[in-house]
Amino acid sequence: MDLNSRYKLCERDVAEREVSGSTLLVPVKEAAGIFELNEMSSRIWQEIKRHTVLQNACDVLVAEIEAVDDDSSIEQAADGDEAYSRAAFQEDVLMIASKLQEIGAIEIVQD
């Protein structure tokens, strides 16, 4: 899986609920437990659901949080908030997408 991977949602295979800013995903087919997405992971999941290519979801999110375009993991933003670099954010999107694939929430499709 990479940022150019095309995927489809498997919404029938995963139940989803929002609770206090987190998203809970429960695989329906397997007794794999409950997967809790924190606020940032929940936001990534929301964009993944709106697109079919990871890069498109990532681009929207990077623009949204005004990520810096360098190779460092986390940098201090001018206002004191931590800002992810583009490279670190892309890694996070791939990691979350991989977990979503593992629990059956998305499926990679071949062109």
Side-chain angles (χ1 to χ4, degrees):
M1 174 185 309
D2 62 32
L3 290 173
N4 294 314
S5 296
R6 296 187 66 74
Y7 58 88
K8 67 177 183 176
L9 296 178
C10 303
E11 293 179 292
R12 293 182 188 164
D13 297 337
V14 178
E16 174 183 352
R17 293 290 178 260
E18 285 192 37
V19 178
S20 301
S22 295
T23 301
L24 303 177
L25 299 176
V26 181
V28 176
K29 289 185 176 182
E30 299 178 21
I34 297 173
F35 296 91
E36 182 177 356
L37 302 174
N38 65 20
E39 187 176 343
M40 179 59 81
S41 297
S42 294
R43 184 66 190 101
I44 291 169
W45 170 235
Q46 294 305 314
E47 279 307 314
I48 284 175
K49 291 190 315 184
R50 293 183 61 224
H51 300 278
T52 59
V53 177
L54 289 174
Q55 184 65 59
N56 296 345
C58 192
D59 288 345
V60 168
L61 292 161
V62 167
E64 190 174 286
I65 65 168
E66 300 177 349
V68 292
D69 191 9
D70 65 20
D71 292 329
S72 61
S73 299
I74 296 177
E75 292 192 349
Q76 280 299 92
D79 61 1
D81 292 338
E82 290 182 335
Y84 283 103
S85 71
R86 177 178 293 273
F89 193 76
Q90 289 172 337
E91 287 178 29
D92 287 349
V93 168
L94 285 170
M95 179 186 68
I96 291 165
S98 178
K99 189 63 175 178
L100 292 169
Q101 181 183 17
E102 184 180 310
I103 68 169
I106 64 171
E107 179 182 326
I108 302 301
V109 295
Q110 303 297 327
D111 288 328

